[in-house]
């Protein structure tokens, strides 16, 4: 589901196909071109008072426009890794807000792609789409299954797998970034327990963002942004 004019436009620019669009009538006059594009793609456009629309959806429709998009077939992992140098792997991150925020940072900081493990929340879920500002439609991503079994494919594609983790044995992000390899896959762990033991065992490096102020860890989306920025190419 793509919510708001901006997100719908971003999805369509990235080549995604609408199934239908619902538009509050007060927004209709300023969106002639978007309506024409959606209709040209063969999708119906429904217009009505915002109260009626929200009584149908059951939630507040952000900026009066929402479109159902066709769910694309996800590309193979090899295709997503091709030509990439910075890849982010989301291991079982279950909160749609965190998933959306990480995609927004990936797009904004300029990392190349995202791999999501089988139990990770769906990046195309409405809340994730909205928090990502629609970047889930433009950032190359796919599911990597199995995981952590699939880590070997990432390593075989030339990536050094860096597990973002706390604890002893991890090199600091500053030190890692100072001589970062050409291709890095940053693996981020789940909100509660962090990365699995098997992932930590098989990763090439464990990398930590040194903490201060008696705080033990960052929110996973904040950690992703800090690490991507430090490793940007
Ligand atoms: C909220 S943390 C999970 C904390 C968990 N108790 C642990 O021990 O890993 C969620 C994820 O964010 C990343 N993260 C958060 N703070 C970090 C830090 N200071 N250094 C490296 N990674 C961090 C890690 O990938 C972690 O798995």
């Amino acid at each position: 589901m793509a919510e708001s004019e901006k997100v719908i436009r971003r999805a369509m620019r990235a080549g995604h196909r609408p199934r239908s669009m619902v538009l509050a009538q007060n927004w209709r006059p300023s969106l002639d071109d978007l309506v024409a594009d959606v209709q040209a793609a063969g999708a119906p456009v429904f217009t009505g008072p915002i109260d009626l629309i929200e009584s149908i959806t059951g939630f507040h429709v952000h900026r009066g426009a929402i479109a159902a998009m066709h769910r694309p077939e996800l590309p193979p992992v090899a295709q997503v890794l091709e030509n990439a140098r910075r890849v982010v792997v989301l291991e079982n991150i279950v909160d749609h807000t965190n998933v959306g925020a990480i995609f927004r940072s990936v797009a904004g900081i300029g990392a190349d792609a995202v791999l999501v493990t089988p139990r990770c929340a769906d990046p195309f879920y409405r809340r994730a789409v909205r928090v990502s500002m629609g970047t889930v439609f433009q950032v190359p991503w796919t599911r990597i299954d199995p995981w952590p079994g699939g880590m070997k494919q990432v390593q075989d594609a030339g990536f050094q797998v860096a597990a973002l983790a706390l604890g002893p044995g991890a090199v600091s992000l500053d030190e890692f970034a100072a001589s970062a390899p050409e291709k890095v896959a940053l693996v981020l762990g789940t909100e509660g327990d962090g990365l699995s033991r098997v992932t930590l065992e098989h990763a090439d490096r464990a990398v930590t963002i040194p903490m201060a102020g008696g705080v033990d860890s960052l929110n996973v989306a904040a950690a992703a942004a800090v690490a991507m920025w430090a490793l940007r190419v």
Side-chain angles (χ1 to χ4, degrees):
M1 302 299 294
E3 205 177 346
S4 85
E5 170 205 351
K6 208 170 169 177
V7 170
I8 299 167
R9 285 189 196 280
R10 192 187 290 272
M12 293 194 50
R13 262 202 314 277
H16 291 265
R17 288 187 306 123
R19 293 166 60 95
S20 63
M21 181 166 77
V22 174
L23 202 55
Q25 61 197 20
N26 53 319
W27 286 84
R28 175 71 180 75
S30 57
L31 296 178
D32 278 348
D33 62 324
L34 180 61
V35 169
D37 286 350
V38 170
Q39 287 173 335
V45 176
F46 303 99
T47 305
I50 188 68
D51 292 352
L52 174 64
I53 291 172
E54 293 190 351
S55 74
I56 295 168
T57 59
F59 52 78
H60 169 69
V61 175
H62 188 57
R63 300 183 75 82
I66 187 162
M69 311 298 292
H70 286 278
R71 181 176 280 270
E73 201 173 311
L74 293 176
V77 170
Q79 186 179 319
V80 167
L81 295 180
E82 205 178 356
N83 301 322
R85 289 190 291 167
R86 295 291 180 265
V87 171
V88 176
V89 183
L90 308 186
E91 181 176 282
N92 304 342
I93 293 178
V94 293
D95 182 313
H96 290 100
T97 303
N98 284 336
V99 170
I102 293 171
F103 269 81
R104 185 173 179 176
S105 295
V106 167
I109 293 171
D112 300 303
V114 178
L115 299 174
V116 301
T117 66
R119 284 171 43 218
C120 187
D122 180 11
F124 283 142
Y125 182 76
R126 184 177 67 94
R127 175 80 186 148
V129 171
R130 184 170 159 194
V131 173
S132 84
M133 297 292 292
T135 55
V136 293
F137 294 116
Q138 80 185 46
V139 169
W141 71 270
T142 197
R143 288 230 179 238
I144 183 160
D145 188 6
W147 183 265
M151 191 191 299
K152 176 133 184 5
Q153 181 180 2
V154 180
Q155 289 164 325
D156 288 348
F159 286 82
Q160 187 165 124
V161 173
L164 272 177
L166 313 162
V171 63
S172 85
L173 178 61
D174 289 332
E175 197 180 329
F176 183 65
S179 56
E182 169 71 10
K183 295 180 170 192
V184 181
L186 283 170
V187 192
L188 291 140
T190 189
E191 291 88 348
D193 295 336
L195 290 168
S196 70
R197 184 184 47 78
V198 182
T199 296
L200 287 168
E201 276 170 14
H202 287 86
D204 299 298
R205 304 290 290 272
V207 177
T208 197
I209 302 164
M211 302 295 303
V215 178
D216 68 339
S217 67
L218 295 174
N219 162 275
V220 65
V226 168
M228 280 187 272
W229 176 258
L231 294 166
R232 70 193 185 282
V233 284

